[in-house]
Amino acid sequence: MKITRDEVRRVALLARLQLSQQEEEIFTGQLDEVLQYVEKLNQLDTANVEPLAHVVDIVNPWRADRVVNRPSPDAMLANAPARERDFLKVPKIIE
């Protein structure tokens, strides 16, 4: 086995998980299988493989950043208790 039960306990402690003896045994086996698979992947020759971020080419569908319904200050401030030009007027709180 590549991973020990003590290492599983340490990871569980870091993740704040309380594992039973049976769960520790199960996770030890599962994590060992994952590590064995990763070891197989490390043996592959990837010298001629270009790195990529995604399997298929994806183009972001960005749209133009433009205002299509410009807000009216009069409509936005219609229910404001106090107003000065196009701004809300609030009481001064810092002396």
Side-chain angles (χ1 to χ4, degrees):
M1 278 193 187
K2 297 219 180 258
I3 191 165
T4 64
R5 221 171 185 170
D6 289 335
E7 291 170 324
V8 171
R9 285 187 195 115
R10 172 88 172 127
V11 171
L13 177 71
L14 292 173
R16 294 191 170 125
L17 298 174
Q18 293 181 350
L19 301 177
S20 67
Q21 294 283 338
Q22 183 183 9
E23 289 172 327
E24 286 177 5
E25 185 177 329
I26 291 170
F27 288 138
T28 302
Q30 289 176 346
L31 289 172
D32 186 52
E33 288 178 18
V34 169
L35 292 175
Q36 286 177 8
Y37 184 74
V38 169
E39 186 60 36
K40 283 183 184 179
L41 292 176
N42 284 336
Q43 294 172 1
L44 293 175
D45 180 24
T46 58
N48 296 326
V49 178
E50 291 187 31
L52 56 97
H54 204 279
V55 179
V56 295
D57 280 335
I58 294 180
V59 179
N60 287 330
W62 298 111
R63 62 175 170 79
D65 190 17
R66 57 187 170 85
V67 178
V68 291
N69 58 344
R70 185 171 304 276
S72 164
D74 290 328
M76 289 190 309
L77 298 173
N79 293 328
R83 168 182 177 176
E84 187 171 312
R85 295 185 311 226
D86 290 339
F87 304 99
L88 288 172
K89 189 172 184 179
V90 294
K92 183 177 179 179
I93 57 170
I94 299 176
E95 304 262 344

